[in-house]
Amino acid sequence: MNKTRMIGLGVAVLVFLLDQFTKYYVTGPLGLNVPGAAVEVLPIFDLRFVQNVGVSLGLLPASGEAMRWSLVALTGAIAAGVLWWMMKERKLPELAALGLVLGGALGNILDRTRFGYVVDFADLHFGTWRPFLVFNVADAAITIGVVVLLIRALFVRDKPAAPSAAVENEVNA
């Protein structure tokens, strides 16, 4: 496995560990393990415990065990697809972005498997306006990774390779 892929996998491991540590810290030492429990960190940012039983943005709530395990399977399949893409990808920015997505997906899969819900805790707000739902490190990593992939797919063009000498000789002949 080449060094660039190892960086992508390292990003995934780092995101996974950071996600799990922050969730542990919020629900353990800080004691925010009851739905609605909160502590103000900054006037615009609270730590607030939320049990997210749905997928991104609280969509598709898992109302029972079958739906819960279906979400685990769906997210696992997506994570496997991202890992497959990582094994084929050669560009560092894409590998780092895929690492963000993979690490975040694995962190949320572990939560849903262990608890039946994903632990969300980051609440960014401006007065009563909340531009985002309560989220976690995994959600942020997934979002950033997807945005980077989209920007690179839409706006970044690789420079064409310089023609080889053999091709130039054929053209000039």
Side-chain angles (χ1 to χ4, degrees):
M1 185 172 302
N2 71 24
K3 182 180 176 182
T4 308
R5 276 198 198 89
M6 290 301 294
I7 292 171
L9 291 173
V11 168
V13 169
L14 182 63
V15 166
F16 175 80
L17 293 174
L18 183 60
D19 175 64
Q20 291 300 300
F21 174 76
T22 55
K23 290 172 180 174
Y24 157 76
Y25 189 74
V26 167
T27 60
L30 286 181
L32 299 177
N33 52 14
V34 177
V39 62
E40 182 180 303
V41 177
L42 296 170
I44 63 167
F45 184 76
D46 298 339
L47 296 176
R48 178 177 315 281
F49 179 76
V50 172
Q51 296 176 348
N52 182 355
V53 296
V55 292
S56 294
L57 304 173
L59 301 173
L60 297 175
S63 55
E65 286 298 302
M67 186 63 170
R68 167 191 176 189
W69 292 108
S70 294
L71 289 177
V72 169
L74 175 64
T75 311
I78 292 168
V82 169
L83 181 60
W84 177 83
W85 186 358
M86 287 180 79
M87 293 301 110
K88 303 288 182 193
E89 186 60 59
R90 292 191 173 127
K91 299 176 195 140
L92 182 58
E94 280 80 355
L95 282 164
L98 290 166
L100 290 170
V101 174
L102 180 62
L106 294 175
N108 284 344
I109 288 170
L110 182 59
D111 278 15
R112 193 170 309 283
T113 302
R114 289 176 54 207
F115 308 125
Y117 58 86
V118 173
V119 174
D120 286 339
F121 60 85
D123 183 14
L124 178 66
H125 58 87
F126 302 94
T128 58
W129 182 60
R130 287 177 159 72
F132 309 104
L133 295 175
V134 179
F135 60 98
N136 60 41
V137 170
D139 298 336
I142 292 167
T143 301
I144 292 167
V146 168
V147 167
V148 168
L149 290 169
L150 286 172
I151 289 171
R152 291 194 53 81
L154 295 172
F155 301 111
V156 176
R157 300 285 178 245
D158 292 330
K159 294 178 185 173
S164 68
V167 172
E168 285 182 31
N169 289 337
E170 282 184 18
V171 171
N172 293 332

